Amino acid sequence: MGRGRMARRNTNRRVGIADVAEKAGVSHATVSRVMNGNAAVDPGIAARVRAAALELKYQPNPVGRSLALGKTDTIGIVVPDLANPTFQAILRGLSIAAAQDGYRVLIADSSEVTSEEAILAGEARRRCDGVVLCAPRMGDAELEELAPTLHPLVLINRTTIATNTPSLSVDYGQGIQELAHHLVSLGHRRLAFLSGPEHSASNRQRLVGLDQFRAEHPEIELQMLHGGSNFDSGHESTEAIIASGATGILAFNDLVAMGLLSGLHERGVRVPEDISVTGFDDIPFAKYTTPPLTTAAVPINELGSLAWRRMREQIQQAGEATTQAQDEFSPRVEIRKSTAAPALSPV
Amino acid sequence: MGRGRMARRNTNRRVGIADVAEKAGVSHATVSRVMNGNAAVDPGIAARVRAAALELKYQPNPVGRSLALGKTDTIGIVVPDLANPTFQAILRGLSIAAAQDGYRVLIADSSEVTSEEAILAGEARRRCDGVVLCAPRMGDAELEELAPTLHPLVLINRTTIATNTPSLSVDYGQGIQELAHHLVSLGHRRLAFLSGPEHSASNRQRLVGLDQFRAEHPEIELQMLHGGSNFDSGHESTEAIIASGATGILAFNDLVAMGLLSGLHERGVRVPEDISVTGFDDIPFAKYTTPPLTTAAVPINELGSLAWRRMREQIQQAGEATTQAQDEFSPRVEIRKSTAAPALSPV
DNA sequence: ACGCTCTGAGAAAACGCTTTCTCATGATTC
DNA sequence: GAATCATGAGAAAGCGTTTTCTCAGAGCGT
């Protein structure tokens, strides 16, 4: 019908609300009402509309809907490195939790490029109803300035002072101290910390925690070695670790610890007989390394779902400026087989 | 009427094109033209508009833009399980490659629930300019029917016959055969395959490959054991593997192999001295297990970026029905330390 | 019977942008 | 000096929804 008149219409176009309206012999408005169940519609008409919609396989266009409603039912997440299992787990938890409430997630990977973070976050925010900023590497000042512009915002591994932004953080300082104590209690006297990325806030927290540890245990030697956040950097540090003479190694995270484990194995250094190694995060793989890795367990799976809960709270109570929750998790030391008493005290 | 609108304007609203137009003393149209550089605009006016936009920090609303342009600059990806490193790697490669062309990615995790896949894919498609369907578990008939409705579509680990949909696949049958041959060439005579999820197409391919292997090597014993696709299922299969008496184990993938490795270690079974184990995929962790895992390397990082390239091709040449590329990768056997000659032939 | 409220459906106005259409203005040509 | 053209800016029409506004007709009380 009328194909001459509307050549363009008939060729390509997806079925829209207008098609349903025409087929059911009602107005667009009524179709919308029926689809959304908002207003009272005569049951007979409603049925007619539903039948038409079903027959035409009508599915409302989300973009049109978003424009009209001013919301996209989508949230964004910005991570420094999608290759990191910790961020992957957070992403996954977030995605699954959000999906349960009918929200989707848009991802952005800043690839550890600090200057991209603000841009990516801003872009994500414009397309989404909120943003989760995961372990941002940017400076405090910049974060403080950015936070309000992103408003429905949830921070992971960072906090803001001025703005009250809900945040989820892990007490890395506490965790690393407990790991250090664990090594000391086993009898280790020479420790080394294999540090992480320079701009990582969680690395700074670990350093602060270790300062405290030093103050409490002046008798323990604690060396600081420069490293990174992934396998390769752990692997590459093998020589430096061996050279350090330390018997207890605190790796920045599980990835680094695993790289180190493998490097030590190649060099014939036995773990934990010759050297004890600890990780951090308790990524799923940590349990399955050989030997299984002693680490500080971060509730990696809860993090994502809690991030969503905090986001949802903000989205729901849009307007009412309530004070936002600052959740802090204490890591739990998970003792496995990569740590043991040193062979003999070298002092 | 007037008052209602004003009130709302002043309170909340983000700055829109109208604000910039007013400030610069031109029409919306002109602002749009300047922002997009589409038509010729008087340089003086253009400068004025740009200054106004800058001062107001104007950023076009992507939703409005999407509605007008009929594109969202976003693609969706549907995966069966975001916890699987293989899919994580694909997601990452896709995301990074797409970002380079100014596209974003929306994720959907079907959690291995076959019936959700079509729904998620459809939803994703409506919000995005295209969809990447990653290792869908749905049946062939359903996939064939769904494919055209998703049109800019890229399939990973599946193909369609009727529709010509670009697809990226890995020759799992070939890979598993090569691994089996590798074990045989080391002297193993009793093998076992620890299979994966029932609905996984890649698992079926492996089974086909192994049938072929059996035909070629009737003298070799090859047991089939039921398993899963993750750590835990590998770990849980430990007893069954030991009981099987096989000396060469073909695990469904690296995850399963790692779970098994850890289970064997706990039981005091040495790898590769007592039992040889192979994985599949060559996830980043495979290199760092102890012992490092012999596996079939899938170009996991290229997969995502190639998926984007295929997607981009389709988006660009919208309309012109060209025949679509079917890319197939041959896995490369990566011999590490988890395989060796069996201690002694039990026959 | 008359006005009254109610119910419910269509017309039209948003939402924020792009793009076509239209029409001044000033430059160009015979 | 009039007729023709190019240039470029504003008006307005989409894009596909939701939602307000408006108003016809039904039901009700007096």
Side-chain angles (χ1 to χ4, degrees):
Chain A
M1 35 195 86
R3 55 182 153 282
R5 202 178 85 222
M6 332 185 129
R8 187 155 120 251
R9 287 218 131 169
N10 276 356
T11 44
N12 252 338
R13 257 253 332 286
R14 294 181 98 78
V15 0
I17 203 172
D19 304 285
V20 179
E22 189 180 355
K23 179 151 198 122
V26 298
S27 68
H28 332 263
T30 300
V31 176
S32 171
R33 284 191 272 254
V34 172
M35 298 301 292
N36 296 291
N38 281 337
V41 176
D42 179 279
I45 294 187
R48 223 165 66 219
V49 168
R50 259 188 285 272
L54 206 65
E55 189 173 347
L56 294 174
K57 296 202 211 315
Y58 167 67
Q59 307 273 166
N61 175 328
V63 178
R65 218 153 177 275
S66 290
L67 187 59
L69 292 173
K71 67 196 207 95
T72 61
D73 291 349
T74 301
I75 60 166
I77 180 173
V78 182
V79 297
D81 178 13
L82 212 40
N84 186 320
T86 305
F87 301 139
Q88 290 168 349
I90 291 173
L91 168 62
R92 174 158 175 268
L94 184 73
S95 163
I96 289 177
Q100 238 130 30
D101 290 320
Y103 277 71
R104 290 127 208 96
V105 7
L106 192 74
I107 72 174
D109 181 344
S110 72
S111 300
E112 297 274 3
V113 180
T114 308
S115 57
E116 281 290 295
E117 290 180 333
I119 298 165
L120 289 174
E123 276 209 346
R125 180 57 186 83
R126 244 166 283 131
R127 300 191 121 77
C128 302
D129 299 344
V131 170
V132 174
L133 211 46
C134 198
R137 268 47 166 145
M138 69 184 75
D140 282 338
E142 191 182 1
L143 181 60
E144 209 76 46
E145 187 187 335
L146 189 64
T149 76
L150 258 30
H151 173 254
L153 169 69
V154 172
L155 278 175
I156 296 185
N157 270 2
R158 285 290 285 277
T159 54
T160 53
I161 313 295
T163 331
N164 77 342
T165 305
S167 67
L168 278 56
S169 38
V170 173
D171 194 340
Y172 292 97
Q174 167 75 13
I176 201 83
Q177 280 183 73
E178 288 186 20
L179 287 170
H181 285 141
H182 164 65
L183 289 173
V184 168
S185 74
L186 286 171
H188 292 271
R189 292 297 172 265
R190 304 189 63 187
L191 308 184
F193 174 58
L194 199 46
S195 73
E198 209 176 339
H199 292 291
S200 156
S202 78
N203 189 54
R204 281 197 299 277
Q205 285 182 253
R206 276 170 257 229
L207 291 174
V208 170
L210 289 175
D211 276 349
Q212 199 171 329
F213 170 84
R214 267 182 168 143
E216 292 173 15
H217 294 271
E219 79 282 8
I220 303 291
E221 173 191 321
L222 172 56
Q223 298 180 56
M224 297 297 183
L225 276 66
H226 233 65
S229 62
N230 53 23
F231 272 136
D232 292 333
S233 67
H235 197 258
E236 286 163 15
S237 302
T238 308
E239 292 307 321
I241 290 293
I242 294 175
S244 76
T247 61
I249 312 299
L250 300 158
F252 172 69
N253 64 17
D254 292 343
L255 252 41
V256 171
M258 288 174 72
L260 178 59
L261 237 42
S262 127
L264 291 172
H265 183 81
E266 288 168 12
R267 286 290 314 265
V269 177
R270 291 167 308 161
V271 175
E273 292 82 355
D274 302 325
I275 287 188
S276 286
V277 174
T278 66
F280 210 116
D281 288 347
D282 196 25
I283 63 174
F285 294 85
K287 211 176 351 197
Y288 293 99
T289 56
T290 24
L293 195 61
T294 292
T295 191
V298 169
I300 212 173
N301 289 314
E302 289 178 35
L303 236 43
S305 59
L306 183 56
W308 167 245
R309 212 171 319 143
R310 295 292 175 241
M311 177 60 75
R312 190 182 51 193
E313 286 165 9
Q314 289 186 93
I315 291 176
Q316 285 173 348
Q317 51 185 233
E320 328 156 23
T322 55
T323 153
Q324 300 296 346
Q326 308 274 121
D327 301 285
E328 175 151 53
F329 294 89
S330 293
R332 181 176 37 77
V333 169
E334 197 70 57
I335 299 174
R336 302 214 176 91
K337 306 289 189 185
S338 67
T339 51
L344 64 156
S345 311
V347 179
Chain B
M1 20 208 105
R3 60 185 168 279
R5 202 167 93 226
M6 288 247 295
R8 199 157 102 242
R9 281 215 139 172
N10 278 355
T11 45
N12 254 337
R13 254 254 331 289
R14 293 182 99 77
V15 1
I17 202 172
D19 305 285
V20 179
E22 189 180 354
K23 178 151 198 123
V26 299
S27 67
H28 335 261
T30 300
V31 175
S32 171
R33 283 192 273 253
V34 170
M35 298 302 291
N36 296 291
N38 281 336
V41 177
D42 180 279
I45 295 186
R48 223 164 66 219
V49 168
R50 257 188 287 271
L54 204 66
E55 188 173 347
L56 295 173
K57 295 201 211 315
Y58 168 67
Q59 306 272 169
N61 174 327
V63 179
R65 227 161 165 267
S66 290
L67 188 58
L69 291 172
K71 67 196 206 97
T72 62
D73 291 348
T74 301
I75 60 167
I77 179 172
V78 182
V79 297
D81 179 13
L82 211 40
N84 186 319
T86 306
F87 301 139
Q88 289 168 350
I90 291 173
L91 168 63
R92 175 160 176 267
L94 184 73
S95 162
I96 290 177
Q100 237 131 32
D101 290 321
Y103 277 72
R104 290 126 207 97
V105 3
L106 194 74
I107 72 174
D109 182 344
S110 73
S111 300
E112 297 274 3
V113 181
T114 309
S115 57
E116 281 290 295
E117 290 179 334
I119 297 165
L120 289 174
E123 276 209 347
R125 179 58 185 86
R126 243 166 285 130
R127 301 189 119 78
C128 301
D129 299 344
V131 170
V132 174
L133 210 46
C134 199
R137 269 47 166 144
M138 70 185 73
D140 282 337
E142 191 181 2
L143 181 60
E144 208 77 45
E145 187 187 336
L146 189 64
T149 76
L150 258 29
H151 173 252
L153 169 69
V154 172
L155 279 174
I156 296 186
N157 270 1
R158 285 292 284 276
T159 55
T160 53
I161 314 295
T163 331
N164 77 341
T165 305
S167 68
L168 278 55
S169 36
V170 173
D171 194 341
Y172 292 97
Q174 166 75 13
I176 202 82
Q177 280 183 72
E178 287 186 21
L179 287 170
H181 284 143
H182 163 64
L183 289 173
V184 168
S185 74
L186 286 172
H188 293 270
R189 292 296 174 264
R190 303 188 65 186
L191 308 184
F193 174 59
L194 199 46
S195 73
E198 208 175 340
H199 292 291
S200 156
S202 77
N203 188 54
R204 283 198 297 277
Q205 283 182 256
R206 276 171 257 231
L207 291 173
V208 170
L210 289 175
D211 278 348
Q212 200 172 328
F213 169 83
R214 267 182 168 142
E216 290 173 16
H217 294 271
E219 81 283 7
I220 303 291
E221 175 191 320
L222 172 57
Q223 297 180 55
M224 295 298 182
L225 277 67
H226 233 64
S229 63
N230 53 23
F231 271 138
D232 292 334
S233 67
H235 196 259
E236 287 163 14
S237 302
T238 309
E239 293 306 321
I241 289 293
I242 293 175
S244 77
T247 61
I249 313 299
L250 299 159
F252 172 68
N253 63 18
D254 291 343
L255 253 40
V256 172
M258 287 174 72
L260 179 59
L261 236 42
S262 128
L264 292 172
H265 183 81
E266 289 168 10
R267 287 289 315 267
V269 178
R270 292 167 308 163
V271 176
E273 291 82 354
D274 303 325
I275 287 188
S276 285
V277 174
T278 66
F280 210 115
D281 288 348
D282 196 25
I283 62 174
F285 294 86
K287 210 175 350 195
Y288 294 98
T289 58
T290 25
L293 195 61
T294 293
T295 191
V298 170
I300 213 173
N301 289 314
E302 289 178 36
L303 236 44
S305 60
L306 184 57
W308 167 245
R309 212 170 319 144
R310 295 291 175 242
M311 177 59 75
R312 190 182 51 193
E313 287 166 9
Q314 289 186 93
I315 291 176
Q316 284 174 349
Q317 51 186 232
E320 330 156 22
T322 55
T323 154
Q324 300 296 348
Q326 309 274 121
D327 301 284
E328 175 151 54
F329 294 88
S330 293
R332 183 176 34 78
V333 170
E334 197 70 55
I335 299 174
R336 301 212 177 91
K337 306 288 188 187
S338 67
T339 51
L344 64 155
S345 311
V347 177

